[in-house]
Amino acid sequence: MRKAILIIAVAIIYQINYSNIFAQEISMQEKIESLIKKMTLEEKIGMLHASSSFTSGGVERLGVTELIMSDGPHGVRREHGRDWEADETDEDFATYLPTGITLASTWNRELGYVYGTVLGSEANARNKDVILGPGVNIIRSPLNGRNFEYMSEDPYLTAEMSIGYIKGVQEQEVAACIKHYVANNQETLRGSIDAVVSERALREIYLPAFKAAVERADVWSIMTAYNKVNGIFCSESDFLLNQILKQEYGFDGALISDWGAVHSTKETLMHGVDIEMGTELNMLPNADYTKFFLADSAYEAVKKGEVDEKFVDEKIRSILRLMFRVKKFDERVKREMNTPEHQALALKVAEEGIVLLKNENILPIQKKVKKIAVIGNNAIRKHTQYSIQGGSSQVKALYEKTPLEGIQNVAGKDYEISFATGYLTTRENKADEKLVAEAVALAKESDLVVFVGGWVHGYDDSNWGEGTFDAESLDKLNLDLLFEQDKLIEKLAEANPNIVSVIFGGSSAKFGKWSDVSKALLHVWYPGMEGGTAIANILLGIVNPSGKLPVSFAKDYLDYPSHVLGEYPGNETTVNYNEDIFVGYRYFDTFDKLVVYPFGHGLSYTKFDYGKINIPSIDYSKSDKIKFSINITNSGEFNGAEIVQVYVSDKESSLRRPEKELKSFEKIFLNKGETKTVEFQLNKDAFSFYDPETKKWIVEPGEFEILVGASALDIKQTTFITIN
Ligand code: GLC
């Protein structure tokens, strides 16, 4: 009886909730329709384009204020005036979170959600309606200048790490704006290049993160990319925007163009973006937004009957839906910024995102070590303190702890810490012999050398070493370590073989003797405002590293499929994605090509043992949920976290498929000696591929292998199943 009452009560509560949501939707629709009815055509057109650097038009007469946007994916950008000049204010210091690829390296979905919550909270506190992130473009070449802002070479990992981020942001009454839709995988000629991509590669590699954002995170806005895809600009592509996003995925939010990414009036009015943002047409400092494609010429096109006003109304509906969702017409809860909790989250993401690539028993730093020489310009560099900082994703950090500060704060009382800069970041891109000599001398008299170098994404002189740093609108020319850091590391190692190399950057550096002589290698990406503390905590063993590579690290850029099979960056007009679906480990593992460190690789100070896969059957139908579990034991001396990765391999398929594909993962925290059972469940999506002939996702009956491991190449257990 009691159970029956409970069930009825739950049903009633669910019904009330559901009807409340339904009622809210109805009332929102009714309000939207009533607003549209009151608007003049001129007022509607004013909402379809920028009204300043980071706002689009409102209708003051009807109480519709401008839509306010801000970059960026890892922190709320500094205040810009309506004509782009930076405001001189102290009110826009922000939490500088570790960049996207650092977050992806945590493989921690929950951390992604908290990250989004912090970013959304700070955007709300700064009165923004839209935060222009996450950046999710697939990393098909290590040369892309914006890889530091993105997440991975793998679509599943990118999707999983974006979902929490988007939900976290939007729970703060701010719209996330996932970007850049789609196939914006290079900076070279980004404003005009035509990415020629097969539909199968689009579906299996480049679209999944956007699909997940719409279907599983209910993202409220999407930014269209600068480039063309298969001959059509993204901002006016009926196939990409209406057929895929709206009809297939059910997207009903606002489509916002990248800045200057709209190229037509009629095409865009009829099936393009809802809001044209931009700078090129601003004619700064006296911006004239009436010249935008969706401004006067759009008004004329409708007035003359060339384009039906219903297309305009549909765009207004999308924009107003976003405005209602961010509570622009209601009381928005005021959130916080620059709190200790936000800074603690930045530290946590850095600690879990830093990847220990190599460790020849030198880390964590042993007690017997007394004198530590910290050497390298990145040990003292504050990337956010430069006038140019990676482009639009810049953050005016409230503070930024450098590696040297972190090491001094954490280790200063127990160790003798000394420093030498070793190299300078200069146009000449050459070693400074005096600095080298000074650094070598210091290394000689120390017990341990911690070299801190790699790439930069904060610099002053925008012409400096074109294409040699992590930044928007530039691709790297190669992966050679700058300023002859490699030679410096080799000389330091001759002087003192106990050397640890800590490398910053959105990509690896070309591996060689410098990495061979380094007894340990840490890749720290751009670890945010608490990066120095995180690096120190890991070096000293206060934190056990758990990060795993979200990209493959091959020896040099020419080893990557976009350079071997595909094109990068293409020619003046076109870049052919000939590698197709074979991006990253899908290429290296399928074509048996060498990598230095594989996708999913990352060491710990402890050891994890994998039990057998426990799976109840080996025969399944396509509609079955395939459940299995595996015991993981921490058999080492440190508490730690392991990222258990699940790959699927289709042993017989009519189309060539990758040797394996990541289809699930779990990050588990285990005290030393502890064992946990990790459970997995795969549905048909994990076994299907996109068939361009039938234009359907299909699971072909036959044998599949399920591989469980600690990286794409460190497979611990496998089992075979048959799907009938
Ligand atoms: C830039 C970037 C985009 C950014 C926008 C606004 O060109 O491509 O990511 O959000 O303009 O700054």
Side-chain angles (χ1 to χ4, degrees), residues 483-553:
F483 321 112
E484 296 186 284
Q485 290 176 59
D486 46 349
K487 293 199 181 62
L488 170 59
I489 294 168
E490 290 156 30
K491 287 178 181 151
L492 293 172
E494 280 164 29
N496 185 334
N498 295 320
I499 178 166
V500 173
S501 289
V502 177
I503 302 296
F504 278 71
S507 69
S508 56
K510 179 179 176 182
F511 292 101
K513 189 171 175 220
W514 71 271
S515 47
D516 296 341
V517 298
S518 299
K519 282 196 174 165
L521 272 179
L522 271 180
H523 198 83
V524 300
W525 314 109
Y526 290 103
M529 68 200 302
E530 283 288 349
T533 312
I535 290 166
N537 285 345
I538 286 172
L539 291 173
L540 274 296
I542 296 164
V543 166
N544 184 2
S546 61
K548 298 259 183 183
L549 289 180
V551 288
S552 309
F553 273 5

Side-chain angles (χ1 to χ4, degrees), residues 71 77 146 179-180 190 223 226 258-259 392 472:
D71 289 315
R77 184 172 178 172
R146 294 185 80 169
K179 68 188 187 182
H180 306 86
R190 64 175 178 167
M223 184 188 292
Y226 280 117
D258 202 337
W259 270 235
S392 60
E472 178 176 340

Side-chain angles (χ1 to χ4, degrees), residues 22-95:
F22 192 63
Q24 283 166 16
E25 276 293 314
I26 289 292
S27 83
M28 179 175 81
Q29 291 309 340
E30 284 166 355
K31 287 175 187 166
I32 286 172
E33 294 312 317
S34 136
L35 278 168
I36 290 176
K37 282 198 183 71
K38 294 173 189 160
M39 286 181 187
T40 66
L41 174 61
E42 192 172 2
E43 289 170 332
K44 293 176 189 173
I45 296 293
M47 290 185 70
L48 304 189
H49 59 82
S51 53
S52 81
S53 56
F54 280 98
T55 60
S56 57
V59 182
E60 206 161 332
R61 177 177 70 85
L62 299 173
V64 180
T65 55
E66 289 179 317
L67 192 66
I68 304 170
M69 311 171 198
S70 170
D71 289 315
H74 50 262
V76 184
R77 184 172 178 172
R78 69 185 319 160
E79 287 306 324
H80 273 280
R82 294 182 70 83
D83 268 352
W84 281 93
E85 78 289 351
D87 291 8
E88 288 314 314
T89 167
D90 283 346
E91 299 308 308
D92 57 355
F93 285 101
T95 297

Side-chain angles (χ1 to χ4, degrees), residues 48-50 84 146 179-182 184 189-193 222-229 232-237 240-241 255-265 267-269 271-282 292-294 472:
L48 304 189
H49 59 82
W84 281 93
R146 294 185 80 169
K179 68 188 187 182
H180 306 86
Y181 185 76
V182 68
N184 176 189
L189 297 171
R190 64 175 178 167
S192 58
I193 199 82
I222 296 176
M223 184 188 292
T224 56
Y226 280 117
N227 52 283
K228 292 177 185 173
V229 170
I232 298 174
F233 278 113
C234 290
S235 299
E236 59 187 63
S237 167
L240 291 174
L241 304 182
L255 290 169
I256 300 171
S257 81
D258 202 337
W259 270 235
V262 169
H263 299 272
S264 70
T265 294
E267 287 302 299
T268 310
L269 273 177
H271 38 71
V273 296
D274 301 312
I275 302 176
E276 175 188 5
M277 295 305 291
T279 43
E280 278 68 19
L281 294 175
N282 284 359
F292 273 43
F293 290 98
L294 294 190
E472 178 176 340

Side-chain angles (χ1 to χ4, degrees), residues 593-651:
K593 299 294 181 184
L594 272 182
V595 289
V596 180
Y597 297 107
F599 174 82
H601 170 77
L603 301 179
S604 170
Y605 293 147
T606 192
K607 188 172 169 302
F608 296 102
D609 297 332
Y610 284 59
K612 290 260 175 275
I613 296 172
N614 302 312
I615 187 163
S617 161
I618 56 170
D619 285 311
Y620 294 90
S621 74
K622 289 178 191 175
S623 56
D624 282 340
K625 300 254 184 274
I626 297 167
K627 297 179 184 175
F628 58 94
S629 67
I630 188 165
N631 284 351
I632 307 292
T633 301
N634 177 347
S635 56
E637 291 310 308
F638 283 81
N639 298 341
E642 173 67 320
I643 297 160
V644 184
Q645 301 156 44
V646 176
Y647 296 86
V648 168
S649 176
D650 188 345
K651 306 321 268 183

Side-chain angles (χ1 to χ4, degrees), residues 640-706:
E642 173 67 320
I643 297 160
V644 184
Q645 301 156 44
V646 176
Y647 296 86
V648 168
S649 176
D650 188 345
K651 306 321 268 183
E652 43 195 301
S653 59
S654 58
L655 284 184
R656 184 160 197 187
R657 297 192 67 182
E659 190 259 347
K660 65 170 85 76
E661 297 179 277
L662 180 74
K663 295 297 179 185
S664 189
F665 65 85
E666 287 301 333
K667 183 165 197 172
I668 52 164
F669 294 81
L670 290 169
N671 293 325
K672 59 183 181 184
E674 188 181 9
T675 295
K676 273 184 188 169
T677 301
V678 192
E679 314 218 330
F680 293 97
Q681 175 173 299
L682 300 176
N683 64 24
K684 64 179 184 336
D685 295 347
F687 301 91
S688 57
F689 67 88
Y690 186 78
D691 175 17
E693 290 307 308
T694 59
K695 293 196 177 304
K696 285 191 171 55
W697 287 87
I698 56 173
V699 177
E700 283 180 332
E703 191 178 51
F704 289 85
E705 186 177 12
I706 294 174

